Amino acid sequence: METPLKRTLFALCALLLACTAGAYHALPGLFKEPLLQLNRALSGLEEKSIRVAGHDIHYLEGGQGETPIVLLHGIFAEKDHWTDFARSLTGSYRILVPDLPGFGESSRFDGETYDYAAQTERLRDLFDALGLGRVHLAGSSMGGTLAALLALQHPERVASVALVGAPHGIRTEQPSAMDRLIDQGHAPLVAHDAASFEAMMNLVFEKRPFLPYPIVQAAQAQALRNTASNLRLWQAQLKDRFLLQERISALRVPTLVLWGGEDRVFDASGAEVLRTHLPQAHISVLAGMGHLPMMEAPGNTARQYADFLQGMARPKPASIDH
């Protein structure tokens, strides 16, 4: 039999849920950090920070393994874009995911440059500060290019390179939607209002993953707050628009390329360009994927990456002399 006390408790619970739901949308900032911390914990990652090259570098770390994996995000992205991808890897590998200098929660200074030349050296300094020897490098977009450049300059430090999503710096056979916008004088990855932020999201994703409202709102607020600074970094990268294509043929470490088949940032025809420059690489075009496959299909993409690493670890069959 229902009592007045039970009715009161039920009403209070309903009111609490309603207030929480209202705050979730009215005050999303209250929920951002708890949501990030929960997702990191589910992936076996925790946040740390270190001072390197005059910058406070925030990074995620978890798991264990002999040769660490370092995951590098793209321009205007950040470390937590890799959290779901890392979830199935931390059981077998040590994972480190930095906010690159100038991005995410790491320091950005108006008087500093954040082009590839400067970032490559900062990344090497970060490895030194963390006591890392050889690492597996996996990167998305700008992060993929940075991984390849570091491997070219310091091959003794890099065991393998994985380009998870199209790298920046390849002249694709077919222009992408972003190429056409750039040629018209636009900066499509620099948001200046809510509408341009939404357009940017539609550009980078083919299948937009579930992103909690507070996380999306925080990302939009940060993008709009940094519009002027982001435009400066965007213009600096434009001068290196096809830098990777000029150098990639010299890459000798084992290389994996996972290029989204529906990528609107860098057209999938670039995968064939890479085949001519890296005939030894493992190159796959992912059907139905956009520019950020580690977010659109993190489990499947991580499995393909793990298969690549396991293939490297397997002993090669001995040759037979005749």
Side-chain angles (χ1 to χ4, degrees):
M1 181 177 178
E2 189 176 21
T3 65
L5 178 58
K6 287 183 178 179
R7 287 196 297 270
T8 300
L9 289 174
F10 179 81
L12 287 173
C13 289
L15 179 62
L16 179 61
L17 288 172
C19 290
T20 302
Y24 184 84
H25 288 87
L27 300 168
L30 295 177
F31 295 85
K32 176 195 171 187
E33 284 304 317
L35 287 168
L36 289 177
Q37 294 294 346
L38 174 61
N39 204 37
R40 293 166 184 170
L42 290 172
S43 296
L45 298 170
E46 61 177 319
E47 185 179 14
K48 300 180 180 181
S49 64
I50 190 171
R51 182 104 177 145
V52 178
H55 290 71
D56 291 320
I57 307 298
H58 291 252
Y59 65 99
L60 303 177
E61 183 175 8
Q64 56 185 358
E66 183 176 348
T67 304
I69 296 171
V70 181
L71 305 175
L72 304 176
H73 62 74
I75 193 169
F76 312 135
E78 48 95 8
K79 59 187 179 298
D80 281 284
H81 292 178
W82 288 101
T83 304
D84 293 344
F85 175 92
R87 186 162 299 152
S88 61
L89 298 173
T90 48
S92 304
Y93 301 96
R94 181 186 176 195
I95 307 292
L96 296 102
V97 197
D99 273 335
L100 292 167
F103 300 95
E105 295 181 283
S106 294
S107 305
R108 179 189 297 189
F109 302 112
D110 289 341
E112 293 280 355
T113 58
Y114 296 94
D115 60 9
Y116 286 117
Q119 293 288 69
T120 302
E121 295 309 303
R122 291 188 186 109
L123 189 59
R124 184 203 60 191
D125 292 342
L126 175 62
F127 290 177
D128 290 343
L130 292 173
L132 301 178
R134 292 181 82 225
V135 302
H136 296 290
L137 283 178
S140 163
S141 198
M142 176 190 76
T145 304
L146 185 56
L149 293 175
L150 187 72
L152 288 167
Q153 293 183 32
H154 304 285
E156 74 285 356
R157 305 293 295 267
V158 181
S160 71
V161 167
L163 308 178
V164 184
H168 172 246
I170 300 298
R171 188 186 295 274
T172 61
E173 294 177 355
Q174 299 296 324
S176 67
M178 190 173 82
D179 284 328
R180 291 190 288 271
L181 290 168
I182 291 173
D183 292 341
Q184 293 167 15
H186 301 292
L189 298 185
V190 179
H192 53 83
D193 57 23
S196 59
F197 180 83
E198 182 68 14
M200 181 269 293
M201 294 284 279
N202 289 333
L203 189 67
V204 300
F205 291 120
E206 172 65 16
K207 297 176 181 176
R208 192 180 300 195
F210 169 73
L211 297 170
Y213 178 79
I215 302 299
V216 176
Q217 287 301 108
Q220 177 177 296
Q222 182 181 47
L224 301 188
R225 187 168 57 248
N226 292 336
T227 296
S229 181
N230 284 348
L231 186 60
R232 178 175 71 87
L233 269 62
W234 170 268
Q235 291 169 340
Q237 275 219 348
L238 273 184
K239 69 181 176 64
D240 291 329
R241 189 173 177 183
F242 302 114
L243 175 67
L244 187 60
Q245 184 154 333
E246 299 168 5
R247 304 184 184 180
I248 193 70
S249 294
L251 189 64
R252 294 292 178 264
V253 302
T255 302
L256 172 70
V257 181
L258 301 175
W259 197 306
E262 306 301 324
D263 194 331
R264 288 184 283 272
V265 176
F266 303 125
D267 188 78
S269 59
E272 294 306 314
V273 177
L274 279 184
R275 288 186 203 278
T276 65
H277 289 273
L278 294 174
Q280 75 281 13
H282 302 267
I283 300 177
S284 295
V285 175
L286 307 181
M289 291 290 103
H291 187 56
L292 302 173
M294 79 286 192
M295 296 182 71
E296 293 187 34
N300 182 57
T301 310
R303 281 191 294 273
Q304 293 186 65
Y305 181 48
D307 288 344
F308 165 72
L309 294 177
Q310 290 163 12
M312 286 179 56
R314 284 192 290 269
K316 293 179 171 53
S319 60
I320 300 176
D321 295 326
H322 295 284

